[in-house]
Amino acid sequence: MTRFSTTGVARAALGVLACATLSAALPAGLPLLAGPALAQDATVALDEVVLPLGPVTLKAPKLELRGTALSRDEARAILDPAGPAPWRTRLERLSAREIVIPVLRVEQPSGGRVQVAVYHDVAARDVAAGRIGIVEAGGATLTVEGPGPDAAGAYGRLSVREIDLPGLARLFTEAGGPDAVPVRVYGGVTAEDIALTGPDGAAFRIARIDARDLTGRPTATPWGDAARVLAEGPGPAEGPERARRAALAADLIDGISVGGLEISGLTLAAPGGPGARPAPVQASLARLTYAPEAGSGQVRAEGLAVDAPAGRFALKGLTLSGLSLKPVLEGLRRAAAGPLDRADLRRYAPALGRIALENLDVDLPAQAPGPDPLAASGPLRFAVRSSALDMSEPRDGVPTASRLAVDGFTCAVAPGTTAPVLADLAGLGYTALDLSGLIDARWNEAAREVTLREVTLSGKDMGTARITGTIGGIGKEVFDPEPMISSLALLGASAKSLALTLENGGLFQRFVDQQAKAQSLKPEELQREYGTAALLGIPAVLGNSPAAKALGQAVSRFVVKPGRLSVSAAAKDPAGLGLVDFSTAPSPGKIFDRLTVTATAE
């Protein structure tokens, strides 16, 4: 799609606000002076109203003010963009029962072309002291004029409620700063039946957009001037102009807040054809919402579905919590002060506290063999019932405490499959895979260590493996954005402790049954052989110490009668065992002698 179509959603939410602006005769807020009372039910009609709003031009062939004390000459004089009175002062004197604009044309140049939005049946009601109760439009059509690919669109009913035009004029025309009093621009915006079509035939539709409580703070550079500069593009890669744009963007983003946003009924239909997208794509999203939280926000998507030749994708829900743009603002302000090091960019990524998904379903078709016949694969379908990733305590943009939980990763195991892992499971008699897992880890800066609070993997009719441990020698250098520094820092890591628990749930027994059948033995006979091998072989490899013999006995009991096996090991040296210790040890027994090991089997 062209830039016109990709900006259509924002245009739908803000288009009626432009209608309200013109209804109040505001070029960046142009007012209509009115008497203090509405006792006179006079109607003032104006023809061929043209209002320039910086790069945007608003044109109304006819405009009527109903229930106003303004004369036609007064209204026409006020609509002059060169009028001497400040816009906010004029708007505070505006009152009318209704302002009606049958047709409103909004033109905006873009890349040598002109984007045009034509709004129909625009009406502003209950206008008092520059504040409007509601502005409504029956709909709008969108086109792009000039040489180039065609693009078009349309909106259905549009409305904006509780608009503060004097406050809007203040934001667009007056400078402020961090301590300026915020302005509540509007109470709510609704846009319905939005349809956008790109030059390649791609069709994008939105059933409804609802936004509420837009609040703005006057910025050091008025909104109107900042928007004009930023609309020109990113500008040069470096230099004073780039720094200026970064400062403007930071101030403008920091000065805007939204009380809530909901978009429903999104669909995308992209036809196939030559070029970057040779195959058709269908996508839909039932609902997308944004809600502010204390110091952050939450974004939630519901009912996402994608259907393409590459596969089908469905997701019941996706929630992003703890979303904050503070690092982005910090990065923009830093860019305004001087050039940014690319290695530092991750520090300025948006902060995110939690990602949670519900009912993910992926269906991938079979892949035909290419030059390498072994690369061919059969169809694959998998699903996840739920998953959540919690992140906290970031350092240079990288969370130092995280918890990933996955409940119900499911996948069919087709007989005769050649996919890695799945083929082995099919050989063990599994027809389906159902896994759950948890990874919970935290970095302690003072102790220079990472604690694996829990790493668990469990499978239905398989069993459970659980690991806890501590890794030392992890300093802040590990988080350095320079890969060479972080890689070298990892070489200093040392193992301090590790605990492993295995609970048999059926996988081990299926393996024994398979091997016993291949060797023409009874499963019990093979288990006894494995048990004997563990009882004698483990101590022999590890040096025949009492701890090694205890480990061999525990493993032997687990093999003969699988239940639960628990093994813990801690380095005798408080500093732990590093990579050099493992690589230079003459035998496994020498490493084992430097550990305190306990093992039990139940």
Side-chain angles (χ1 to χ4, degrees), residues 247-271:
L248 289 175
D251 204 13
L252 196 58
I253 293 173
D254 193 32
I256 298 175
S257 66
V258 179
L261 175 67
E262 179 175 336
I263 306 175
S264 58
L266 291 85
T267 61
L268 171 65

Side-chain angles (χ1 to χ4, degrees), residues 123-383:
R125 301 182 180 89
D126 302 325
V127 184
R131 289 164 177 80
I132 303 177
I134 187 169
V135 176
E136 294 181 312
T141 58
L142 311 173
T143 56
V144 177
E145 298 180 352
D150 294 332
Y155 305 149
R157 188 181 70 86
L158 304 164
S159 68
V160 186
R161 300 170 294 281
E162 302 176 25
I163 308 166
D164 183 354
L165 289 177
L168 184 63
R170 179 186 172 202
L171 292 172
F172 271 88
T173 62
E174 300 179 14
D179 299 327
V181 177
V183 175
R184 183 174 181 259
V185 178
Y186 63 67
V189 171
T190 298
E192 299 178 352
D193 301 325
I194 302 165
L196 304 171
T197 303
D200 56 359
F204 181 65
R205 295 180 179 274
I206 299 177
R208 184 182 177 96
I209 297 176
D210 282 296
R212 65 179 184 275
D213 295 328
L214 174 66
T215 301
R217 173 182 55 78
T219 51
T221 299
W223 282 24
D225 296 337
R228 277 192 292 270
V229 172
L230 296 175
E232 296 172 358
E238 301 294 346
E241 181 61 21
R242 180 73 171 185
R244 174 172 171 257
R245 291 170 182 267
L248 289 175
D251 204 13
L252 196 58
I253 293 173
D254 193 32
I256 298 175
S257 66
V258 179
L261 175 67
E262 179 175 336
I263 306 175
S264 58
L266 291 85
T267 61
L268 171 65
R277 189 182 55 253
V281 175
Q282 299 282 338
S284 63
L285 180 62
R287 187 167 175 259
L288 179 67
T289 61
Y290 167 79
E293 298 175 331
S296 61
Q298 181 186 89
V299 176
R300 178 169 173 79
E302 299 176 3
L304 175 62
V306 178
D307 189 349
R312 294 181 176 88
F313 174 94
L315 182 62
K316 180 180 179 181
L318 173 66
T319 304
L320 308 179
S321 304
L323 181 62
S324 174
L325 295 180
K326 288 182 179 179
V328 177
L329 296 176
E330 181 184 346
L332 289 172
R333 294 188 177 107
R334 176 65 184 82
L340 284 176
D341 188 336
R342 291 186 176 273
D344 294 337
L345 291 180
R346 71 181 190 188
R347 299 175 180 174
Y348 308 122
L352 187 60
R354 179 180 173 88
I355 305 174
L357 63 84
E358 309 163 35
N359 295 338
L360 169 67
D361 196 331
V362 178
D363 191 354
L364 303 177
Q367 298 295 319
D372 182 5
L374 298 179
S377 64
L380 176 63
R381 181 172 183 175
F382 64 89

